Amino acid sequence: MDFLQPTSLSEALAMKAERPDATPIQGGTDLMVDINFDRARPSATIDLNRVPELMDIEHVGSDVWVGAGVPYLRIMRELQSDAPGLCMAARTVGSPQIRARGTLGGNLGTASPAGDTLPLLVAIGATAEVASSERGRREIPVRNFIIRPRHSALESDELIVRVRVPKARGPQQFGKVGQRNAMVISIASFGLAFDLDQRAVGTGIGSAGPVILDAPEANAHVAEVFSTEGLWDSAAPLPDGVAKRFGELVGQAASPIDDVRGTARYRRHALSVLAARSLKWAWNEHRETTKGTRA
Ligand SMILES: Cc1cc2nc3c(=O)[nH]c(=O)nc-3n(C[C@H](O)[C@H](O)[C@H](O)COP(=O)(O)OP(=O)(O)OC[C@H]3O[C@@H](n4cnc5c(N)ncnc54)[C@H](O)[C@@H]3O)c2cc1C
């Protein structure tokens, strides 16, 4: 196996153009497992750990650009106020060791519908910026990044450079259900983001379809009830039944299968519960933080 070690992004992109067969490696927490279990035998790897451009966290206006090589630990330390939901998701990944090595770029690169950061990234409308040495940069909505399990929209000469994370404009939540509490691949996961400026709700559903899904009908239901009941202005308690209905609509938006981790029926049920809870928790948090400012 050839081992390529670029020290800049332009060098990395040139290597990827010359060796489209080469597999990038960042934290290695997915790739090394595949190699160890003989599921992957790359002819070459491109080690991205010496590419400084991938390690940046940059605040630009209403967005934070998070480098593909930024590990979860840094996300948790540096983005709590701008991306609280992403931090929640990061905290659920693996163990402290995995969070110190594993990255956002790697979570995207693996293109698994069970990737824990992805539902939240979909809920907030994040995009992945990718680049090739020939065609330059382009942005792919995270919603469209996975095209089927383990296959992404990335071309063979492209690398993920960074992720555009819109700064939080309201409370966010992330939850996952697994066979145990930690170090577990999710059976179902759910991300929720309120956008109080746009008076909208975003959702993302993981491990319950071939790709990360959203739940447009559930989002529209909440937005409509909140408008009709004047909740955006009053921040009054959630009317009876809203969270339950939201949960049902999220469950209906999923497209799960039966597999070794859980049945499709269980996944839908778990998602309904996760979604209803997330809505209640997020709204209660908003009510708590605005308590002193309400008439
Ligand atoms: C014990 C253990 C527990 C885990 N628990 C969780 C969990 O709870 N939740 C979860 O979501 N994941 C979990 N994972 C999986 C893994 O840690 C994450 O998916 C992590 O984000 C991968 O990041 P990485 O930098 O280590 O990726 P790597 O292994 O380096 O790469 C993963 C894939 O992405 C590609 N890639 C990496 N960077 C780029 C780039 N810049 N451009 C293009 N392609 C790129 C690689 O080629 C490879 O295909 C776990 C893994 C282990 C070993």
Side-chain angles (χ1 to χ4, degrees):
M1 182 200 301
D2 296 326
F3 185 65
L4 311 172
Q5 210 165 33
T7 55
S8 70
L9 181 59
S10 57
E11 197 186 349
L13 292 173
M15 285 173 175
K16 190 72 177 114
E18 198 178 317
R19 294 288 306 267
D21 59 307
T23 304
I25 182 164
Q26 188 74 65
T29 60
D30 272 326
L31 186 62
M32 289 311 298
V33 174
D34 282 348
I35 291 175
N36 284 341
F37 281 91
D38 222 1
R39 291 192 294 250
R41 277 280 158 241
S43 46
T45 53
I46 303 182
D47 173 20
L48 298 175
N49 285 284
R50 296 184 186 188
V51 177
E53 292 95 325
L54 302 181
M55 311 298 165
D56 287 342
I57 293 184
E58 214 183 329
H59 294 254
V60 182
S62 58
D63 297 320
V64 193
W65 289 90
V66 182
V70 171
Y72 296 113
L73 199 61
R74 265 189 75 199
I75 291 174
M76 288 153 54
R77 284 185 182 152
E78 297 179 37
L79 294 179
Q80 184 52 47
S81 58
D82 288 321
L86 184 59
C87 292
M88 279 182 195
R91 276 198 292 275
T92 74
V93 174
S95 59
Q97 295 87 339
I98 297 296
R99 293 192 287 274
R101 289 296 307 165
T103 63
L104 211 48
N107 214 217
L108 278 162
T110 294
S112 161
D116 276 333
T117 62
L118 309 181
L120 199 283
L121 291 176
V122 167
I124 62 176
T127 57
E129 187 185 64
V130 305
S132 81
S133 61
E134 270 216 353
R135 298 178 307 285
R137 298 187 184 214
R138 66 182 175 119
E139 277 186 56
I140 307 172
V142 172
R143 172 77 177 83
N144 304 332
F145 190 82
I146 302 180
I147 50 177
R148 59 181 197 277
R150 298 241 156 199
H151 291 269
S152 75
L154 212 57
E155 299 290 341
S156 62
D157 64 344
E158 285 179 323
L159 292 174
I160 306 161
V161 178
R162 53 186 187 163
V163 179
R164 186 174 62 77
V165 175
K167 290 184 184 173
R169 290 191 292 254
Q172 302 179 348
Q173 280 290 331
F174 171 81
K176 86 184 196 190
V177 172
Q179 284 168 336
R180 56 185 182 193
N181 265 347
M183 287 284 285
V184 72
I185 303 180
S186 65
I187 296 173
S189 59
F190 180 71
L192 170 91
F194 270 101
D195 183 334
L196 299 172
D197 294 352
Q198 300 294 320
R199 302 191 157 192
V201 175
T203 42
I205 298 171
S207 279
V211 299
I212 306 293
L213 299 166
D214 62 0
E217 283 184 27
N219 304 347
H221 169 69
V222 170
E224 195 192 311
V225 173
F226 275 43
S227 293
T228 317
E229 305 280 332
L231 260 69
W232 297 114
D233 294 314
S234 69
L238 280 184
D240 283 348
V242 178
K244 185 164 183 280
R245 181 67 189 141
F246 178 70
E248 285 166 3
L249 290 169
V250 168
Q252 285 167 22
S255 180
I257 53 166
D258 294 342
D259 68 11
V260 285
R261 282 180 282 140
T263 62
R265 193 156 162 252
Y266 176 69
R267 285 187 155 101
R268 270 192 216 282
H269 173 72
L271 277 167
S272 294
V273 174
L274 280 177
R277 271 186 204 160
S278 299
L279 187 75
K280 282 185 206 157
W281 288 345
W283 192 244
N284 286 346
E285 181 199 317
H286 174 59
R287 287 174 43 72
E288 224 17 69
T289 51
T290 56
K291 212 186 230 167
T293 61
R294 288 200 301 272

